[in-house]
Amino acid sequence: MAITDKEIQELTRHAKRIRKDIIDITGWAGGAHIGGGLSMTEILVILYYKYLNIDPKNPDWKDRDRMILSKGHGGVGYAPILARKGYFDFDLLKEFNRFKSPFGMHLDSNKVKGVDVSTGSLGHGLPIAVGLALGARLQKKSWLTYTILGDGECNEGSIWEAAMAAAHFKLTNMITIVDRNQLMIDGTTESVMGLEPFADKWKAFGWIVKSADGHDYNSLSEAIEYAQKEDAAPVVIIADTIKGKGVDFMENEVKWHYGGLDTDLMEKAKTSVDK
Amino acid sequence: MSQGLTWTVYDANTMSQAEIYGQVLCDLGEQNDKIVGLSADLANSTKIGKFGEQFPDRFFNVGIAEQNLFGVAAGLAKSGLTPFVSTMAVFASMRAAEQIRTDISYQNLDCKIIATHGGISFGAAGTTHHCTEDIAIMRSFANMTVIVPADGLEMANAVKACVDHPGPVYIRIGRGFEPTYYEKEDYGFEIGKAVNICDGTDLTIICCGVCVLQAAEAARYLKENDDLSVRVINIHTLKPLDEEAILKAVTDTRRIVTVEEHNIHGGLGSAVADVIAKSGKGCAFHKIGIPDCFCEVGYPEDLYSHYKLDADGIISVVRDVMGKDFEDDDDWEDEV
Ligand SMILES: Cc1ncc(C[n+]2csc(CCOP(=O)(O)OP(=O)(O)O)c2C)c(N)n1
């Protein structure tokens, strides 16, 4: 069902709040992967507030859609959405990173409700998605598996091993979104280890590629709905994004891959989100 | 080979282990043009990036691809160069374990692995970034030398020494914010040779890495407060192991406590236990480490204290072991 203007207004409001949450958690935690947390906010917001078939009151519901944050360092951007959706109390996130907290930088599926797979070591999510999708098909389940990949993460061979397998097994019950923010840790993706022609690589592996603006709900909505219906081959959505999106002094700044915020910077960052 | 290094003792107080590594590697690179550097999108975090800035032609960042990283290093070594490879310990020892075993150790290649963020030094990141298994893994690879330096100066010594040490070497360090133990670098570092930190006759603490400073503090405290004479041995080289130092400690003190930032299975404690068992000498023995669980999340200080890896924890364990009156046991054979 195509997205309405009213829905877009709602999602925009959610995204603003989530970005401020990300800023708060980064401040409380003493440091977090904020840049890549902010680049995927719209992607997670549209999945969690529009598309995922889930029930936060019943996190282990067997027929729920599965969501894998393969770029697991994005935990700081993921945890607030799970909290706002009602999986757990938001105030628990004040303990992010702290001793015996369920919330480390990379979320643990055994400790955090709503997290389907423990991630943090890059390149693990897509193979697990292939397994989930095969499992769903074998057991005649209609739920979908969504996976969010980092673009730098796509350097890992295991991503391409899984890509080959997904196409080989004709898995059309999985939807993969790449957060194409063009940055990793040591620089731009193209300067460290060139990915381009990126779309052609996926195509050569047997996938259908959709491009989207990863900060635009119309664009994301169109791509996701296309992927949900496609039954010829697995679909990857390459979502163009901006690392640090929403916080002017972080946008496209590689040094904000990981960082801490004092109260002044937290204020500055929130003011920027409100602009 | 390693004269004329520009780092100073002063630096050890302001530079992290990894930063010292970066500097030492640059200095070695000046003297030895066979040295090449590699990383996998962690050039900055591991500080090998400093070498990369100074020798851009001799540095290769392969992107986030650790298996390729170690395969490429093997190829460079086969071509006659000496690769230094840096990534986080968890990805080196586990993601690329087979490349390190089969491509590097099996072929006995001159490849030096400097693994950062070892143990629980990146505590808040959680299990995916903790590394409490690497010593067990690396120790089990034939041909591999395994070193866990106590601090930045020992790191510098280890890096200098490993260049001329044939075959693969795995050096594990922390995240870089660890306090230092040594005040100067010329205390006689030698690969495979334990360092006596202090002498003692009641009990011996055998340790490595960040635990050395903590053990030294514990020994000092126990001398002053409990009138205990505790020996501390820094086993910076886990393999080849200085068995002589361990056997001497068993004979002299009959009570051994090992301390390491690693799962209690397969690390320093296990290596020491093997030596004790082989000797046929009985002794009271306790391993401090991560008790075969995935470590909690938290800042390293809190975790060290929780797992008794800090001075207070070591003191409490030493007191327990001292309280053990094993020589009164019926089945205790004092001389074998
Ligand atoms: C296997 C593995 N290698 C290295 C790392 C360290 N690391 C964490 S984030 C990151 C960069 C990720 O870049 P990208 O996938 O583009 O994520 P984003 O820019 O969206 O944050 C690296 C190298 C890791 N977590 N896992």
Side-chain angles (χ1 to χ4, degrees):
Chain A
M1 236 194 349
I3 196 160
T4 64
D5 286 349
K6 188 153 170 295
E7 281 178 305
I8 290 180
Q9 273 174 17
E10 274 290 288
L11 297 183
T12 306
R13 199 173 52 77
H14 286 306
K16 252 189 187 168
R17 178 159 75 161
I18 296 299
R19 286 209 161 85
K20 289 185 194 169
D21 290 344
I22 293 174
I23 293 162
D24 276 331
I25 300 167
T26 303
W28 298 330
H33 297 86
I34 186 163
L38 292 166
S39 64
M40 62 178 188
T41 303
E42 280 79 12
I43 298 170
L44 281 177
V45 162
I46 201 169
L47 288 178
Y48 274 87
Y49 287 94
K50 182 163 170 67
Y51 289 113
L52 288 183
N53 187 23
I54 47 172
D55 176 8
K57 297 276 159 309
N58 188 6
D60 301 322
W61 175 38
K62 290 215 165 12
D63 292 326
R64 70 188 184 281
D65 285 341
R66 307 303 201 269
M67 212 316 280
I68 306 174
L69 182 63
S70 191
K71 46 168 279 192
H73 58 282
V76 69
Y78 189 20
I81 298 210
L82 295 174
R84 297 301 182 192
K85 284 296 288 184
Y87 283 100
F88 50 81
D89 183 3
F90 181 80
D91 276 348
L92 287 173
L93 295 173
K94 294 195 165 136
E95 290 297 302
F96 204 89
N97 279 2
R98 288 175 202 277
F99 181 52
K100 284 200 176 178
S101 165
F103 305 96
M105 291 168 205
H106 308 86
L107 302 180
D108 179 337
S109 66
N110 284 331
K111 292 182 183 163
V112 182
K113 289 282 175 231
V115 175
D116 286 316
V117 173
S118 298
T119 54
S121 179
L122 295 168
H124 286 232
L126 201 59
I128 297 175
V130 168
L132 279 163
L134 281 171
R137 187 165 74 187
L138 187 63
Q139 297 169 85
K140 303 202 170 21
K141 300 288 188 186
S142 59
W143 46 266
L144 299 177
T145 299
Y146 292 82
T147 308
I148 298 179
L149 301 176
D151 48 3
E153 180 183 15
C154 293
N155 292 169
E156 289 285 1
S158 53
I159 295 294
W160 300 101
E161 294 170 29
M164 209 176 329
H168 179 81
F169 294 125
K170 300 199 169 43
L171 295 174
T172 54
N173 58 347
M174 57 186 279
I175 296 176
T176 305
I177 304 177
V178 181
D179 179 356
R180 183 77 173 107
N181 60 29
Q182 306 275 346
L183 293 178
M184 40 212 283
I185 294 183
D186 284 338
T188 64
T189 56
E190 298 318 291
S191 70
V192 176
M193 184 50 60
L195 288 169
E196 295 296 344
F198 193 47
D200 289 346
K201 287 194 170 73
W202 286 98
K203 284 180 201 157
F205 274 75
W207 288 53
I208 293 170
V209 179
K210 285 294 275 183
S211 299
D213 176 338
H215 301 305
D216 181 287
Y217 294 113
N218 279 310
S219 174
L220 283 171
S221 165
E222 197 213 314
I224 293 168
E225 293 187 14
Y226 172 86
Q228 287 176 333
K229 290 193 200 94
E230 179 57 59
D231 61 4
V235 175
V236 59
I237 299 169
I238 300 180
D240 288 318
T241 58
I242 293 172
K243 203 158 172 173
K245 171 75 178 174
V247 177
D248 48 14
F249 61 90
M250 292 186 191
E251 288 191 358
N252 289 319
E253 286 289 339
V254 71
K255 71 165 193 251
W256 280 105
H257 173 76
Y258 177 91
L261 295 171
D262 60 18
T263 40
D264 278 358
L265 275 182
M266 283 164 83
E267 272 324 301
K268 261 181 80 180
K270 284 189 198 170
T271 311
S272 176
V273 168
D274 272 330
K275 267 187 219 152
Chain B
M1 189 85 261
S2 45
Q3 313 85 354
L5 297 189
T6 54
W7 53 275
T8 63
V9 171
Y10 174 74
D11 290 332
N13 296 320
T14 55
M15 290 165 79
S16 69
Q17 272 189 325
E19 282 168 337
I20 292 179
Y21 158 52
Q23 183 59 52
V24 171
L25 194 58
C26 284
D27 293 340
L28 290 170
E30 288 282 2
Q31 302 164 12
N32 180 342
D33 62 6
K34 297 267 184 233
I35 292 177
V36 291
L38 294 95
S39 189
D41 197 32
L42 289 170
N44 289 330
S45 323
T46 63
K47 304 296 177 230
I48 199 173
K50 201 173 161 79
F51 178 89
E53 279 163 27
Q54 195 163 328
F55 305 102
D57 296 345
R58 286 154 60 187
F59 181 72
F60 305 96
N61 194 332
V62 301
I64 311 169
E66 294 76 12
Q67 291 170 275
N68 191 41
L69 175 72
F70 286 97
V72 171
L76 285 162
K78 280 256 176 197
S79 83
L81 297 166
T82 307
F84 275 73
V85 192
S86 280
T87 182
M88 292 186 190
V90 66
F91 308 129
S93 65
M94 285 175 259
R95 184 58 152 272
E98 199 206 349
Q99 274 75 12
I100 295 179
R101 172 198 175 267
T102 300
D103 303 343
I104 294 172
S105 301
Y106 171 40
Q107 307 191 78
N108 203 11
L109 298 180
D110 245 336
C111 180
K112 318 301 175 189
I113 303 159
I114 317 293
T116 64
H117 299 67
I120 49 180
S121 59
F122 202 5
T127 299
T128 57
H129 287 63
H130 295 163
C131 187
T132 54
E133 303 87 354
D134 56 337
I135 305 304
I137 295 167
M138 290 298 154
R139 248 176 17 99
S140 70
F141 293 172
N143 294 332
M144 181 65 80
T145 295
V146 182
I147 303 177
V148 183
D151 67 3
L153 286 183
E154 189 151 86
M155 173 72 194
N157 280 329
V159 171
K160 283 191 289 171
C162 81
V163 181
D164 296 327
H165 189 80
V169 178
Y170 179 84
I171 303 181
R172 180 236 246 193
I173 61 174
R175 195 179 172 208
F177 306 112
E178 299 76 14
T180 56
Y181 171 73
Y182 288 105
E183 283 164 12
K184 48 190 179 50
E185 94 275 5
D186 57 348
Y187 54 87
F189 178 91
E190 208 181 304
I191 291 178
K193 197 102 195 74
V195 180
N196 233 40
I197 298 291
C198 58
D199 229 332
T201 50
D202 293 325
L203 178 145
T204 302
I205 304 173
I206 301 181
C207 48
C208 60
V210 287
C211 305
V212 171
L213 172 67
Q214 301 303 321
E217 278 176 11
R220 203 174 310 126
Y221 183 94
L222 288 162
K223 165 143 259 142
E224 280 165 21
N225 296 278
D226 295 35
D227 198 26
L228 276 180
S229 166
V230 175
R231 181 179 303 181
V232 177
I233 302 177
N234 169 15
I235 299 265
H236 50 68
T237 309
L238 282 280
K239 190 180 149 182
L241 193 62
D242 187 344
E243 299 194 7
E244 210 178 298
I246 297 165
L247 284 174
K248 187 161 180 333
V250 173
T251 313
D252 293 352
T253 71
R254 306 302 292 270
R255 292 171 205 264
I256 304 285
V257 172
T258 60
V259 198
E260 64 189 314
E261 201 182 341
H262 190 273
N263 190 307
I264 50 162
H265 298 313
L268 173 67
S270 297
V272 170
D274 281 355
V275 175
I276 298 172
K278 195 168 75 179
S279 77
K281 288 195 162 63
C283 77
F285 179 68
H286 188 103
K287 298 192 267 193
I288 308 180
I290 309 301
D292 196 22
C293 60
F294 287 109
C295 176
E296 295 285 353
V297 160
Y299 299 127
E301 313 79 78
D302 294 328
L303 300 175
Y304 292 142
S305 145
H306 180 68
Y307 294 108
K308 297 191 191 310
L309 293 164
D310 63 351
D312 285 348
I314 297 170
I315 289 166
S316 72
V317 170
V318 167
R319 284 177 175 156
D320 281 353
V321 173
M322 286 311 299
K324 199 169 171 234
D325 204 2
F326 61 91
E327 288 180 334
D328 287 345
D329 287 356
D330 287 344
D331 54 359
W332 172 255
E333 287 286 346
D334 205 31
E335 294 302 329
V336 192

